[in-house]
């Protein structure tokens, strides 16, 4: 089992930056693929970015490619999402998710553990 806790959300203007962090419990963090998803009001949860457990290869949604960067620190059991050039349409609750021995999957069903989410609001 792993527990996840997101932090770093907030209110930012268009073009600004935020850095989200997800802290994971447990001693086997390095064996989990980690993903970031987001959900805006009235919309389904969607994939943002992921990093796999074996070689830290990454995957991004087309909407954030070139603006967001996912990274992991296995020594500190954390995964981060650096978000630059934020747009109003990035406004959502952002969730961290974990998949044991997973790939950098785009699908929510591939992840077994989820955090509570952190709100990101981008104002124009």
């Amino acid at each position: 089992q792993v527990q996840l806790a997101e932090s770093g959300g907030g209110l930012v203007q268009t073009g600004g930056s935020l850095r989200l962090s997800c802290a994971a419990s447990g001693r086997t963090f390095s064996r989990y693929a980690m993903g970031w998803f987001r959900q805006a009001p009235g919309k389904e949860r969607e994939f943002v970015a992921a990093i796999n457990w074996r070689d830290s290869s990454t995957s991004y949604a087309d909407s954030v490619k070139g603006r967001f960067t996912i990274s992991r620190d296995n020594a500190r059991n954390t995964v981060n999402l650096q978000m630059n050039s934020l747009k109003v349409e990035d406004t959502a609750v952002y969730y961290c998710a974990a998949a044991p021995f997973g790939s950098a999957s785009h699908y929510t069903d591939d992840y077994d553990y989820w955090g509570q989410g952190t709100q990101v609001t981008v104002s124009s």
Side-chain angles (χ1 to χ4, degrees), residues 85-109:
S85 303
L86 283 161
K87 304 176 181 180
V88 170
E89 50 264 42
D90 294 319
T91 295
V93 177
Y94 282 70
Y95 297 90
C96 172
F101 299 107
S103 62
S105 172
H106 291 211
Y107 302 103
T108 57
D109 286 349

mmCIF file of all heavy atoms in Angstrom, residues 85-109:
data_model
loop_
_atom_site.group_PDB
_atom_site.id
_atom_site.type_symbol
_atom_site.label_atom_id
_atom_site.label_comp_id
_atom_site.label_asym_id
_atom_site.label_seq_id
_atom_site.Cartn_x
_atom_site.Cartn_y
_atom_site.Cartn_z
ATOM 1 N N SER A 85 4.186 28.464 -18.151
ATOM 2 C CA SER A 85 3.314 29.041 -19.191
ATOM 3 C C SER A 85 1.868 28.595 -19.002
ATOM 4 O O SER A 85 1.208 28.154 -19.952
ATOM 5 C CB SER A 85 3.813 28.639 -20.579
ATOM 6 O OG SER A 85 5.147 29.046 -20.782
ATOM 7 N N LEU A 86 1.389 28.732 -17.792
ATOM 8 C CA LEU A 86 0.054 28.235 -17.471
ATOM 9 C C LEU A 86 -1.026 29.011 -18.215
ATOM 10 O O LEU A 86 -0.914 30.226 -18.454
ATOM 11 C CB LEU A 86 -0.180 28.293 -15.967
ATOM 12 C CG LEU A 86 0.512 27.163 -15.196
ATOM 13 C CD1 LEU A 86 0.653 27.508 -13.728
ATOM 14 C CD2 LEU A 86 -0.246 25.865 -15.371
ATOM 15 N N LYS A 87 -2.085 28.281 -18.555
ATOM 16 C CA LYS A 87 -3.215 28.839 -19.276
ATOM 17 C C LYS A 87 -4.481 28.679 -18.431
ATOM 18 O O LYS A 87 -4.535 27.822 -17.534
ATOM 19 C CB LYS A 87 -3.396 28.095 -20.595
ATOM 20 C CG LYS A 87 -2.169 28.074 -21.492
ATOM 21 C CD LYS A 87 -2.407 27.233 -22.731
ATOM 22 C CE LYS A 87 -1.171 27.186 -23.628
ATOM 23 N NZ LYS A 87 -1.399 26.363 -24.835
ATOM 24 N N VAL A 88 -5.476 29.463 -18.753
ATOM 25 C CA VAL A 88 -6.738 29.372 -18.018
ATOM 26 C C VAL A 88 -7.290 27.941 -18.087
ATOM 27 O O VAL A 88 -7.824 27.415 -17.093
ATOM 28 C CB VAL A 88 -7.759 30.368 -18.587
ATOM 29 C CG1 VAL A 88 -9.138 30.121 -17.998
ATOM 30 C CG2 VAL A 88 -7.309 31.797 -18.324
ATOM 31 N N GLU A 89 -7.111 27.295 -19.211
ATOM 32 C CA GLU A 89 -7.645 25.937 -19.386
ATOM 33 C C GLU A 89 -6.878 24.879 -18.585
ATOM 34 O O GLU A 89 -7.281 23.717 -18.565
ATOM 35 C CB GLU A 89 -7.677 25.549 -20.865
ATOM 36 C CG GLU A 89 -6.376 25.782 -21.607
ATOM 37 C CD GLU A 89 -6.363 27.120 -22.340
ATOM 38 O OE1 GLU A 89 -6.828 28.129 -21.764
ATOM 39 O OE2 GLU A 89 -5.855 27.140 -23.478
ATOM 40 N N ASP A 90 -5.808 25.258 -17.924
ATOM 41 C CA ASP A 90 -5.116 24.342 -17.018
ATOM 42 C C ASP A 90 -5.778 24.295 -15.640
ATOM 43 O O ASP A 90 -5.383 23.490 -14.786
ATOM 44 C CB ASP A 90 -3.647 24.749 -16.844
ATOM 45 C CG ASP A 90 -2.845 24.606 -18.120
ATOM 46 O OD1 ASP A 90 -3.028 23.603 -18.832
ATOM 47 O OD2 ASP A 90 -2.018 25.504 -18.401
ATOM 48 N N THR A 91 -6.746 25.151 -15.412
ATOM 49 C CA THR A 91 -7.453 25.184 -14.132
ATOM 50 C C THR A 91 -8.150 23.854 -13.888
ATOM 51 O O THR A 91 -8.921 23.380 -14.713
ATOM 52 C CB THR A 91 -8.470 26.328 -14.116
ATOM 53 O OG1 THR A 91 -7.783 27.577 -14.200
ATOM 54 C CG2 THR A 91 -9.303 26.288 -12.836
ATOM 55 N N ALA A 92 -7.863 23.243 -12.736
ATOM 56 C CA ALA A 92 -8.423 21.937 -12.406
ATOM 57 C C ALA A 92 -7.916 21.514 -11.033
ATOM 58 O O ALA A 92 -7.008 22.141 -10.479
ATOM 59 C CB ALA A 92 -8.012 20.890 -13.443
ATOM 60 N N VAL A 93 -8.483 20.434 -10.535
ATOM 61 C CA VAL A 93 -7.886 19.739 -9.401
ATOM 62 C C VAL A 93 -6.896 18.726 -9.966
ATOM 63 O O VAL A 93 -7.248 17.939 -10.855
ATOM 64 C CB VAL A 93 -8.951 19.032 -8.545
ATOM 65 C CG1 VAL A 93 -8.275 18.252 -7.412
ATOM 66 C CG2 VAL A 93 -9.946 20.046 -7.985
ATOM 67 N N TYR A 94 -5.680 18.765 -9.454
ATOM 68 C CA TYR A 94 -4.617 17.892 -9.947
ATOM 69 C C TYR A 94 -4.412 16.754 -8.951
ATOM 70 O O TYR A 94 -4.264 16.991 -7.739
ATOM 71 C CB TYR A 94 -3.334 18.681 -10.132
ATOM 72 C CG TYR A 94 -3.350 19.505 -11.398
ATOM 73 C CD1 TYR A 94 -4.173 20.620 -11.517
ATOM 74 C CD2 TYR A 94 -2.565 19.158 -12.490
ATOM 75 C CE1 TYR A 94 -4.202 21.366 -12.683
ATOM 76 C CE2 TYR A 94 -2.584 19.899 -13.665
ATOM 77 C CZ TYR A 94 -3.417 21.002 -13.750
ATOM 78 O OH TYR A 94 -3.459 21.738 -14.908
ATOM 79 N N TYR A 95 -4.376 15.541 -9.493
ATOM 80 C CA TYR A 95 -4.234 14.345 -8.683
ATOM 81 C C TYR A 95 -2.945 13.611 -9.034
ATOM 82 O O TYR A 95 -2.587 13.475 -10.206
ATOM 83 C CB TYR A 95 -5.406 13.394 -8.929
ATOM 84 C CG TYR A 95 -6.742 13.930 -8.538
ATOM 85 C CD1 TYR A 95 -7.527 14.634 -9.450
ATOM 86 C CD2 TYR A 95 -7.231 13.738 -7.249
ATOM 87 C CE1 TYR A 95 -8.761 15.132 -9.080
ATOM 88 C CE2 TYR A 95 -8.474 14.226 -6.884
ATOM 89 C CZ TYR A 95 -9.239 14.925 -7.806
ATOM 90 O OH TYR A 95 -10.459 15.401 -7.443
ATOM 91 N N CYS A 96 -2.324 13.090 -8.000
ATOM 92 C CA CYS A 96 -1.166 12.225 -8.139
ATOM 93 C C CYS A 96 -1.661 10.779 -8.052
ATOM 94 O O CYS A 96 -2.578 10.485 -7.272
ATOM 95 C CB CYS A 96 -0.206 12.549 -7.005
ATOM 96 S SG CYS A 96 1.203 11.466 -6.840
ATOM 97 N N ALA A 97 -1.049 9.881 -8.824
ATOM 98 C CA ALA A 97 -1.472 8.485 -8.817
ATOM 99 C C ALA A 97 -0.258 7.572 -8.932
ATOM 100 O O ALA A 97 0.769 7.965 -9.496
ATOM 101 C CB ALA A 97 -2.431 8.219 -9.972
ATOM 102 N N ALA A 98 -0.403 6.347 -8.411
ATOM 103 C CA ALA A 98 0.712 5.398 -8.400
ATOM 104 C C ALA A 98 0.274 4.041 -8.930
ATOM 105 O O ALA A 98 -0.828 3.572 -8.624
ATOM 106 C CB ALA A 98 1.260 5.235 -6.984
ATOM 107 N N ALA A 99 1.163 3.425 -9.714
ATOM 108 C CA ALA A 99 0.901 2.098 -10.277
ATOM 109 C C ALA A 99 2.118 1.226 -10.035
ATOM 110 O O ALA A 99 3.197 1.508 -10.566
ATOM 111 C CB ALA A 99 0.622 2.206 -11.773
ATOM 112 N N PRO A 100 1.980 0.139 -9.254
ATOM 113 C CA PRO A 100 3.139 -0.710 -8.975
ATOM 114 C C PRO A 100 3.672 -1.372 -10.238
ATOM 115 O O PRO A 100 2.908 -1.964 -10.999
ATOM 116 C CB PRO A 100 2.590 -1.737 -7.980
ATOM 117 C CG PRO A 100 1.120 -1.698 -8.133
ATOM 118 C CD PRO A 100 0.770 -0.323 -8.577
ATOM 119 N N PHE A 101 4.960 -1.206 -10.459
ATOM 120 C CA PHE A 101 5.644 -1.775 -11.623
ATOM 121 C C PHE A 101 4.984 -1.361 -12.931
ATOM 122 O O PHE A 101 4.995 -2.112 -13.910
ATOM 123 C CB PHE A 101 5.708 -3.294 -11.522
ATOM 124 C CG PHE A 101 6.460 -3.778 -10.314
ATOM 125 C CD1 PHE A 101 5.779 -4.327 -9.238
ATOM 126 C CD2 PHE A 101 7.833 -3.666 -10.239
ATOM 127 C CE1 PHE A 101 6.472 -4.767 -8.111
ATOM 128 C CE2 PHE A 101 8.534 -4.104 -9.128
ATOM 129 C CZ PHE A 101 7.841 -4.655 -8.062
ATOM 130 N N GLY A 102 4.391 -0.168 -12.935
ATOM 131 C CA GLY A 102 3.645 0.266 -14.109
ATOM 132 C C GLY A 102 4.487 0.996 -15.137
ATOM 133 O O GLY A 102 5.622 1.386 -14.873
ATOM 134 N N SER A 103 3.875 1.178 -16.297
ATOM 135 C CA SER A 103 4.457 2.023 -17.328
ATOM 136 C C SER A 103 3.917 3.432 -17.136
ATOM 137 O O SER A 103 3.109 3.681 -16.249
ATOM 138 C CB SER A 103 4.080 1.503 -18.708
ATOM 139 O OG SER A 103 2.672 1.558 -18.868
ATOM 140 N N ALA A 104 4.345 4.348 -17.947
ATOM 141 C CA ALA A 104 3.853 5.722 -17.858
ATOM 142 C C ALA A 104 2.511 5.802 -18.589
ATOM 143 O O ALA A 104 2.381 6.437 -19.622
ATOM 144 C CB ALA A 104 4.883 6.671 -18.468
ATOM 145 N N SER A 105 1.524 5.162 -17.984
ATOM 146 C CA SER A 105 0.230 4.995 -18.640
ATOM 147 C C SER A 105 -0.592 6.275 -18.628
ATOM 148 O O SER A 105 -0.506 7.087 -17.698
ATOM 149 C CB SER A 105 -0.558 3.883 -17.951
ATOM 150 O OG SER A 105 -1.877 3.808 -18.445
ATOM 151 N N HIS A 106 -1.433 6.417 -19.652
ATOM 152 C CA HIS A 106 -2.345 7.549 -19.763
ATOM 153 C C HIS A 106 -3.718 7.232 -19.164
ATOM 154 O O HIS A 106 -4.577 8.100 -19.127
ATOM 155 C CB HIS A 106 -2.549 7.917 -21.232
ATOM 156 C CG HIS A 106 -1.346 8.494 -21.891
ATOM 157 N ND1 HIS A 106 -1.419 9.415 -22.916
ATOM 158 C CD2 HIS A 106 -0.018 8.296 -21.683
ATOM 159 C CE1 HIS A 106 -0.205 9.745 -23.315
ATOM 160 N NE2 HIS A 106 0.662 9.069 -22.579
ATOM 161 N N TYR A 107 -3.927 6.012 -18.697
ATOM 162 C CA TYR A 107 -5.253 5.551 -18.323
ATOM 163 C C TYR A 107 -5.431 5.461 -16.816
ATOM 164 O O TYR A 107 -4.635 4.840 -16.113
ATOM 165 C CB TYR A 107 -5.529 4.196 -18.973
ATOM 166 C CG TYR A 107 -5.425 4.257 -20.469
ATOM 167 C CD1 TYR A 107 -4.299 3.753 -21.133
ATOM 168 C CD2 TYR A 107 -6.426 4.841 -21.228
ATOM 169 C CE1 TYR A 107 -4.193 3.830 -22.512
ATOM 170 C CE2 TYR A 107 -6.323 4.922 -22.613
ATOM 171 C CZ TYR A 107 -5.208 4.418 -23.238
ATOM 172 O OH TYR A 107 -5.105 4.501 -24.605
ATOM 173 N N THR A 108 -6.510 6.048 -16.316
ATOM 174 C CA THR A 108 -6.762 6.058 -14.878
ATOM 175 C C THR A 108 -6.874 4.642 -14.319
ATOM 176 O O THR A 108 -6.445 4.396 -13.188
ATOM 177 C CB THR A 108 -8.050 6.826 -14.557
ATOM 178 O OG1 THR A 108 -9.145 6.244 -15.269
ATOM 179 C CG2 THR A 108 -7.929 8.297 -14.933
ATOM 180 N N ASP A 109 -7.404 3.715 -15.095
ATOM 181 C CA ASP A 109 -7.611 2.348 -14.597
ATOM 182 C C ASP A 109 -6.299 1.620 -14.314
ATOM 183 O O ASP A 109 -6.297 0.602 -13.625
ATOM 184 C CB ASP A 109 -8.431 1.532 -15.598
ATOM 185 C CG ASP A 109 -9.893 1.929 -15.605
ATOM 186 O OD1 ASP A 109 -10.292 2.680 -14.696
ATOM 187 O OD2 ASP A 109 -10.624 1.490 -16.507
#
